[in-house]
Amino acid sequence: MAKLIYHIAITLDNFIADLNGVADDSIFLNEGDHVTDFISDIQQYDAVLMGGKTYEYGFQFGLKPGEPSPYNLKHFIFSNTMQFESNDEVKLIKNNTLSFIQDLKMKEDGKLWLCGGGNLAGSLIQHKLIDQLVLKVNPVMIGTGIPLFGSVKPSLNLELADMKQYSNGVLKSTYNIIYS
């Protein structure tokens, strides 16, 4: 059975992007040892899962619908509104998101990376489908933005599995989620 890991950068006030969906170096630190570690970390994943808005964010950097991001991973994109043909590298899932992810976790081995967005993560946490959180907490507060779990405000028990502090102030904390 695959493990679903929500591995994402956040602000100290719990946002994954500003209200416009911007999650670039205007908010997050993009230089330092944490970046090298992140690139190394994503090599451990077997596939990446993301919401449509997160996938569309890459379009401003030249990514086209149906193309994979630079990560050499199978992509699963969850959107009711996007239109493109699925292919061997990028699969568009328009319906039955929860059952698709439940089946994917059951059929696959290894690690699945949930890289965003907040609404998708909120739905998955409500249905107890996320197994682990890896939070790259940046030393910045933005006041408003897209929360870690969208509009969902889960009550969770977490077990600290790992913690790393970087010289630039970024903290990377890994938590196992303990569902009751």
Side-chain angles (χ1 to χ4, degrees):
M1 182 169 167
K3 180 188 271 191
L4 182 57
I5 302 168
Y6 189 19
H7 189 153
I8 195 155
I10 64 168
T11 63
L12 277 172
D13 48 355
N14 204 37
F15 297 110
I16 61 172
D18 71 12
L19 287 175
N20 296 317
V22 174
D24 61 15
D25 62 357
S26 68
I27 298 171
F28 297 112
L29 300 176
N30 67 355
E31 292 182 6
D33 291 343
H34 73 286
V35 176
T36 305
D37 280 359
F38 173 69
I39 292 167
S40 176
D41 286 347
I42 61 175
Q43 303 303 314
Q44 71 180 323
Y45 294 114
D46 299 294
V48 60
L49 288 69
M50 64 183 81
K53 290 178 186 170
T54 301
Y55 184 61
E56 287 175 345
Y57 187 72
F59 294 173
Q60 65 186 310
F61 304 105
L63 187 68
K64 304 275 190 271
E67 290 182 346
S69 62
Y71 313 119
N72 189 25
L73 300 169
K74 173 79 175 172
H75 286 56
F76 296 97
I77 312 303
F78 299 89
S79 173
N80 294 327
T81 58
M82 293 190 89
Q83 299 290 329
F84 67 83
E85 291 296 320
S86 293
N87 56 62
D88 290 342
E89 296 174 301
V90 182
K91 181 172 178 71
L92 177 62
I93 296 89
K94 294 176 131 299
N95 300 306
N96 304 315
T97 296
L98 296 173
S99 61
F100 181 89
I101 293 174
Q102 286 171 330
D103 288 345
L104 184 64
K105 285 182 66 174
M106 293 299 289
K107 291 177 184 174
E108 299 292 324
D109 289 320
K111 296 179 180 180
L112 305 172
W113 172 28
L114 175 61
C115 77
N119 290 331
L120 177 58
S123 177
L124 297 177
I125 203 75
Q126 280 183 311
H127 290 88
K128 301 180 179 182
L129 291 173
I130 299 174
D131 301 296
Q132 193 173 65
L133 297 174
V134 178
L135 304 175
K136 298 171 297 195
V137 184
N138 283 247
V140 62
M141 297 176 78
I142 60 174
T144 60
I146 299 171
L148 181 64
F149 292 108
S151 62
V152 174
K153 301 195 182 329
S155 176
L156 298 171
N157 291 317
L158 304 172
E159 172 189 57
L160 183 64
D162 191 41
M163 172 70 91
K164 186 167 184 180
Q165 180 178 349
Y166 298 92
S167 61
N168 62 1
V170 172
L171 298 173
K172 178 181 150 193
S173 52
T174 302
Y175 296 98
N176 295 321
I177 300 174
I178 303 166
Y179 293 107
S180 43

